[in-house]
Structure formats: C-alpha cells, structure tokens
Amino acid sequence: MGWSFYHRAPGVETNAAHFTRKLGDRYEIIAHGTVETVFYAAIRSHKTGTVSAYVALTRWKHDRTHNFGYTAMDETCLPAAHKAPKAVLDALTPTTHQDALAWRANCVRYHDQHAFLRQQLKPGMRIRLTHPLRCADNIRRDAFTYGWTGGRKQGRLTDGPRRFPMPNWRELVAALIHPDGSETLTPVGKHQTTHHRSSPAPHSEQR
C-alpha cells in the first residue's frame, strides 16, 4: 500500500477514467466520487460478481516527470478515509468481512453526523468535542460555541472572544450542550459512548 508516483497529464481524464485503466479488466467501476483528495469507487469483480469498495488517496505535486501519485486499498484494509459518497455505499453488495463492515459503518456515521448537525446545530449553541484539543493559546478545550463567519455563513468555533480555525471539526462533535447543561449526543457521540461501554476494562495486577 505504498505510494506510486508517475506523470499524469492534468485535466486530460477524470479520476474514474484514470483508475478504470489502473484496475484493468478484472473490475468494473459501478459508482464513484472524489471527496477532497480521495477517490472512492464501488467496483464489481468480473470473476465473482461482488461489488466492494476501492479507496485511492491521491496527490498532485510540482514535478515534471512524477507529478501525480496514489496509494490504493480496498475496504477490507479498513481505510482511515471514510467519506465515501452515498452512491458508492449503496452500490456495494453484502459482506461478512469485519473490517469492511467497520469501514462501511464509519462512512454511514460520517453522513449521519453531517445530516444531524445540519438539522440541529444553530449559531450560538455550545458543543462538546470527542476529546480536548490543545489550542493556539496552549489551553486544552473540548467545549466551544458555534457561530457564523461574516456573511458567508461559514461555521466557526469560538470561546469567548477567541476564534479557533479547525478543519473537519464537525467530525469531532460529540454533543450539543443546552443552556441547562444537558447534552444531546450526536451520532459520533453515541458511537463513542457505546464503544467505551463495550470496551473491556484493563486488567489490574495481582499482588
């Protein structure tokens, strides 16, 4: 799963066309999408007929001969990238592979999280993250206030007068904090709570 770099002419072909050639005659791309710099595809095996997920991290760089690179894996490798479009997820056939199931669940949770926040998160609300983060002022925080940036309606996190630029913060929101201090868990927060409850307690040493 290392990176391969080579020359690829910019703007000549889509990622779908490019990776169709890379996959060869053994697979057919049924559905696909590129999110950020990751190419996701549902690929059908011509041998078995099953449809599984293919994930390729891509990178463009300034180099005359090796300007494009990628590293690819299938869903059984439990890729860390888990923002596959719904069209890709819907095209997959059932599987019993535990890592593939875990990856699919991560993707579904990603979509559920964003749908939940679109509906429930309003400017001025307090949120709690899954874990404290060390901010630019060297203070660890897990609670912030959500607000708009200017007139563009771009979400930002604040704590008093301080603003905290934080990429992909929505994936870290565990709960919405109400004025009375109670919380409503997000899909990520519910998963975190369930995972902690199901994790075995560490064994204590016998003396």
Side-chain angles (χ1 to χ4, degrees), residues 16 19-32 39 41-47 49-54 91-92:
F19 286 105
T20 292
R21 292 194 295 103
K22 291 294 181 182
L23 288 166
D25 297 333
R26 294 179 302 163
Y27 297 96
E28 175 188 3
I29 293 181
I30 304 302
H32 64 87
F39 175 73
I43 58 174
R44 175 183 289 132
S45 168
H46 288 159
K47 181 178 180 180
T50 59
V51 181
S52 58
Y54 174 85
L92 304 177

Side-chain angles (χ1 to χ4, degrees), residues 39-162:
F39 175 73
Y40 299 92
I43 58 174
R44 175 183 289 132
S45 168
H46 288 159
K47 181 178 180 180
T48 65
T50 59
V51 181
S52 58
Y54 174 85
V55 181
L57 282 63
T58 68
R59 184 186 305 166
W60 290 90
K61 64 179 183 177
H62 297 289
D63 189 298
R64 291 184 177 180
T65 58
H66 298 80
N67 64 333
F68 178 79
Y70 79 97
T71 180
M73 64 206 80
D74 64 35
E75 60 183 328
T76 63
C77 298
L78 191 56
H82 57 270
K83 301 179 182 180
K86 290 182 179 181
V88 171
L89 300 176
D90 292 342
L92 304 177
T93 53
T95 182
T96 58
H97 195 286
Q98 292 302 306
D99 285 341
L101 291 172
W103 180 81
R104 296 182 186 188
N106 289 342
C107 292
V108 170
R109 192 178 309 112
Y110 165 80
H111 290 291
D112 289 347
Q113 175 83 351
H114 281 252
F116 176 88
L117 293 178
R118 280 195 300 269
Q119 294 177 355
Q120 303 294 330
L121 183 57
K122 309 299 180 185
M125 293 186 70
R126 295 282 288 172
I127 63 170
R128 177 176 60 80
L129 304 185
T130 55
H131 58 279
L133 299 178
R134 188 176 299 278
C135 301
D137 56 4
N138 209 33
I139 296 177
R140 295 177 64 86
R141 293 177 174 85
D142 65 355
F144 298 87
T145 300
Y146 171 73
W148 292 128
T149 298
R152 299 178 58 189
K153 293 189 175 182
Q154 182 176 355
R156 59 180 170 84
L157 300 184
T158 65
D159 187 23
R162 296 180 177 272

Side-chain angles (χ1 to χ4, degrees), residues 155-203:
R156 59 180 170 84
L157 300 184
T158 65
D159 187 23
R162 296 180 177 272
R163 299 180 181 181
F164 299 95
M166 192 182 305
N168 299 321
W169 59 266
R170 287 175 176 81
E171 298 176 44
L172 301 177
V173 179
L176 308 183
I177 306 173
H178 301 291
D180 62 0
S182 62
E183 295 185 343
T184 298
L185 293 179
T186 67
V188 166
K190 291 178 181 178
H191 173 73
Q192 184 184 43
T193 300
T194 302
H195 179 72
H196 284 173
R197 287 176 179 173
S198 61
S199 297
H203 294 289

